[in-house]
Amino acid sequence: MLQPGYLILHDWIRSHEGVDILRNLSSINGQHLRPYGLLERPMFPSNISLENVHYKIVVVGKSGVGKTSTIAKLSGHPIPSIHSETAGIQVTKMYWPVKIAHLNKVVLMNLELWDTGEIALKKFDHISPACKSGVDGILFLFSFVDKGSWDEIPNLISRLTEPNDKLAKLVIGTKFDQFSHSEVSQRELREFEVRWQIPLKTVSNIVSTESSINDIVPVLNCLCEHLCHRDVLGEEAK
C-alpha cells in the first residue's frame, strides 16, 4: 500500500504557500471549501499559476451510508439534514491543491465526484456504464453503525475493480463520531487494509457536523496521492 507522503507533501497545505492558495478556494470564513457548479472554476490572482488536472471519481456504497452527504462535506456544499435516495446521477465538482514532492510543483486537482442511487442503478441500464466510463478512482463508503454496509465493501471492490487496474481506491467510514456504537471493530479495519491494500479513512457524523477543512484534509490528501500514483504508473507503462 502506498505510504503517505511518498508523492505529495501532506503538511504543505498548512504552510504559508498552501494557506495562501487554499484561501482562494475557501469560503469567506475559511472554515470550508467554496462550492462550485459544473461550469464554474476558481479564480486566482495573477501571481498564482497552477496546472489543473481533471479526475473522475465514483462514490459507491450501500444505500443510506451517507454518500451524498460525504460528497457535500468534502466539496463545501450544504449537507442534507435528512436522507433521500439519489435520483439518477449526481455530479459534484471540487478543487484541491497539492504539492508534488519530487517535482516541487503545486497542482490543482479538479475532482468530479459521481454519485448514483441504488434504485436508479438497478432501474436504468445506462447509469452503470456512464459512471464507469473514463473513471480514475473509486470511493467505497460504509457506515460504522451499519455492519451490512461494511460487509458489502469486499463485494463492491471485487465487482467494480480488477486486481491489476490502476484505479485510485479509498475506503471511507462514515459516522465515526458514533464509534462507541460501532458495529465494526478496529481489528476488522486493520485486517481489511492488510488484505486489500487499500487505505481506509473516516469522517464524522456528516448529517449534524458542518463541513470543515481540517476534517477533510486527510481524506483529500490520501485520495489525491493515489491519483498521482495512478498517473506515475501510467507514465511508466508507456
Side-chain angles (χ1 to χ4, degrees):
M1 187 162 56
L2 188 65
Q3 294 299 311
Y6 176 70
L7 288 176
I8 72 169
L9 302 178
H10 282 233
D11 291 334
W12 168 83
I13 200 69
R14 296 183 175 90
S15 69
H16 177 76
E17 182 185 33
V19 169
D20 190 38
I21 291 176
L22 193 57
R23 186 180 298 115
N24 295 277
L25 299 169
S26 305
S27 60
I28 294 176
N29 62 14
Q31 293 301 305
H32 53 81
L33 292 181
R34 183 180 302 162
Y36 291 94
L38 290 179
L39 301 180
E40 294 179 306
R41 59 181 302 170
M43 300 296 293
F44 292 96
S46 57
N47 64 316
I48 297 178
S49 178
L50 302 177
E51 179 182 348
N52 189 324
V53 186
H54 173 265
Y55 297 99
K56 176 180 176 180
I57 312 297
V58 174
V59 183
V60 300
K62 182 181 174 184
S63 179
V65 298
K67 296 187 293 295
T68 301
S69 296
T70 297
I71 291 173
K73 185 178 182 72
L74 295 177
S75 62
H77 283 79
I79 299 173
S81 58
I82 58 174
H83 169 260
S84 60
E85 181 78 11
T86 300
I89 299 173
Q90 177 176 302
V91 181
T92 303
K93 176 175 283 192
M94 65 170 296
Y95 296 87
W96 187 251
V98 298
K99 189 160 190 175
I100 310 299
H102 67 288
L103 297 177
N104 195 33
K105 179 176 73 172
V106 179
V107 174
L108 187 63
M109 311 290 267
N110 177 350
L111 307 177
E112 272 191 6
L113 304 175
W114 286 54
D115 174 29
T116 182
E118 270 190 318
I119 295 176
L121 193 61
K122 294 175 180 177
K123 185 176 181 181
F124 301 107
D125 294 338
H126 69 280
I127 289 184
S128 181
C131 289
K132 292 179 180 179
S133 176
V135 66
D136 300 297
I138 303 178
L139 299 182
F140 300 91
L141 267 63
F142 74 94
S143 168
F144 276 99
V145 294
D146 181 353
K147 188 60 162 35
S149 68
W150 167 253
D151 293 336
E152 179 68 13
I153 295 297
N155 297 328
L156 289 171
I157 295 173
S158 298
R159 190 166 78 243
L160 299 175
T161 69
E162 299 292 337
N164 297 319
D165 66 30
K166 295 180 177 61
L167 293 176
K169 307 176 187 75
L170 177 61
V171 175
I172 299 178
T174 66
K175 304 178 184 177
F176 184 63
D177 58 339
Q178 300 181 36
F179 193 74
S180 59
H181 305 288
S182 175
E183 299 178 4
V184 184
S185 69
Q186 285 290 336
R187 180 179 58 81
E188 289 177 292
L189 300 179
R190 291 193 298 269
E191 290 178 350
F192 172 88
E193 285 193 303
V194 172
R195 163 68 177 83
W196 292 94
Q197 291 295 295
I198 298 176
L200 194 154
K201 297 295 181 181
T202 62
V203 293
S204 60
N205 187 338
I206 48 184
V207 173
S208 63
T209 304
E210 286 298 323
S211 162
S212 167
I213 288 180
N214 288 332
D215 293 339
I216 65 177
V217 165
V219 176
L220 292 178
N221 276 346
C222 182
L223 172 61
C224 290
E225 184 153 46
H226 281 74
L227 288 168
C228 290
H229 188 235
R230 176 182 186 273
D231 290 345
V232 169
L233 292 177
E235 288 296 323
E236 292 176 349
K238 290 180 180 180

